[in-house]
Amino acid sequence: MRIKVCGMTDMDQVQQLDEMGVEFCGFIFYPKSPRYLFKHVPASSVKKTKGHINKVGVFVNAETDEILRVVDDCGLYLVQLHGDETPRQCERISEYITTVKAFRISEQDNILWKIKDYKDVVDMFLFDTEGVGYGGTGKKFNWQMLKGLNIRKPFFLSGGIQPDDMDNLKDFAADPVAKDLFSIDINSKFELSPGIKDMEKVKNFVTKLKSS
């Protein structure tokens, strides 16, 4: 199973993720986030980072031209749109780079209705927990809402995933909806402080997930 570690701000830790075999690292380009990358690292340092890990840029309601400029400046592989981006904007961006549309899900949401206008304009989805404002909340996402659905597009599973969720993830992976599960997305539950990961926790989780 693929893994994305999001909210990275330390390029040495990104290198460690690469050595662990983690497929994706997420960089947040939302100035209001405590994990806003450019508070810590210039674009040039991100771009020159080598390895097999794929760099993902997370944006919230940014202008299209700004997103594409950051893609080039940082050498990004994927863009994740985590705000209220319209299908048209998503389509324009996906013509340039592989694009993930994130959806913040509440208990009242009809997921299939929420994603329907984006199915033909982005490459993948990400499902996270609804919260105040934008970005990750650290709160557990109710995965039961996805069970039995036919998403018909690869998706990232996010929302408060923590080190002791291995059995829950195995259970979810056995459901028919998981045929479209592309990657697990982890962040705040594996941190020492915002943007700095507890690499021992991450390593243990990666090892268990990869061997399951």
Side-chain angles (χ1 to χ4, degrees), residues 1-4 24 124-127 141 143 146 149-158 161 168-185 209:
M1 192 177 294
R2 301 176 189 88
I3 300 171
K4 171 173 170 262
F24 303 95
M124 289 180 270
F125 294 146
L126 180 145
F127 297 110
F141 173 51
W143 307 339
L146 289 170
L149 299 182
N150 186 10
I151 302 298
R152 294 190 292 115
K153 189 169 285 288
F155 67 87
F156 289 77
L157 184 66
S158 187
I161 294 173
N168 293 330
L169 290 170
K170 289 179 181 178
D171 176 67
F172 183 83
D175 190 87
V177 72
K179 74 183 190 319
D180 294 318
L181 177 60
F182 181 76
S183 179
I184 301 300
D185 190 314
L209 196 64

Side-chain angles (χ1 to χ4, degrees), residues 76-87:
L76 302 181
Y77 176 76
L78 283 172
V79 161
Q80 177 181 317
L81 302 175
H82 220 288
D84 303 309
E85 297 84 8
T86 65

Side-chain angles (χ1 to χ4, degrees), residues 47-59:
K47 188 165 189 175
K48 72 181 182 182
T49 299
K50 303 299 182 183
H52 298 289
I53 199 164
N54 298 292
K55 294 175 280 190
V56 183
V58 180
F59 299 88

Side-chain angles (χ1 to χ4, degrees), residues 17-209:
L17 294 179
D18 187 44
E19 293 167 0
M20 289 179 202
V22 171
E23 288 85 0
F24 303 95
C25 63
F27 300 118
I28 296 176
F29 297 100
Y30 179 47
K32 294 182 180 180
S33 170
R35 300 169 185 85
Y36 177 49
L37 183 67
F38 288 155
K39 284 182 181 177
H40 308 274
V41 181
S44 57
S45 295
V46 181
K47 188 165 189 175
K48 72 181 182 182
T49 299
K50 303 299 182 183
H52 298 289
I53 199 164
N54 298 292
K55 294 175 280 190
V56 183
V58 180
F59 299 88
V60 176
N61 296 332
E63 296 292 333
T64 299
D65 289 346
E66 176 192 348
I67 293 171
L68 300 186
R69 182 172 63 253
V70 173
V71 166
D72 290 339
D73 289 348
C74 294
L76 302 181
Y77 176 76
L78 283 172
V79 161
Q80 177 181 317
L81 302 175
H82 220 288
D84 303 309
E85 297 84 8
T86 65
R88 177 58 187 144
Q89 184 183 18
C90 292
E91 184 175 34
R92 287 184 60 200
I93 295 166
S94 68
E95 289 170 353
Y96 190 80
I97 186 171
T98 301
T99 302
V100 182
K101 180 69 182 84
F103 296 93
R104 305 182 305 280
I105 306 297
S106 73
E107 293 286 340
Q108 293 73 41
D109 278 327
N110 180 322
I111 294 175
L112 294 182
W113 178 263
K114 194 160 188 170
I115 67 177
K116 68 180 181 64
D117 292 336
Y118 294 85
K119 273 186 174 289
D120 296 329
V121 298
V122 296
D123 302 283
M124 289 180 270
F125 294 146
L126 180 145
F127 297 110
D128 199 355
T129 315
E130 176 87 303
V132 177
Y134 298 97
T137 65
K139 296 180 181 178
K140 180 72 72 181
F141 173 51
N142 181 7
W143 307 339
Q144 301 297 323
M145 293 178 65
L146 289 170
K147 287 189 171 182
L149 299 182
N150 186 10
I151 302 298
R152 294 190 292 115
K153 189 169 285 288
F155 67 87
F156 289 77
L157 184 66
S158 187
I161 294 173
Q162 52 197 18
D164 61 0
D165 269 331
M166 199 59 58
D167 288 342
N168 293 330
L169 290 170
K170 289 179 181 178
D171 176 67
F172 183 83
D175 190 87
V177 72
K179 74 183 190 319
D180 294 318
L181 177 60
F182 181 76
S183 179
I184 301 300
D185 190 314
I186 63 174
N187 188 349
S188 61
K189 299 300 183 182
F190 293 81
E191 287 187 327
L192 298 169
S193 61
I196 302 299
K197 300 301 185 274
D198 183 329
M199 297 307 290
E200 195 61 34
K201 278 186 180 180
V202 173
K203 185 176 181 179
N204 289 338
F205 183 82
V206 170
T207 300
K208 289 178 181 177
L209 196 64

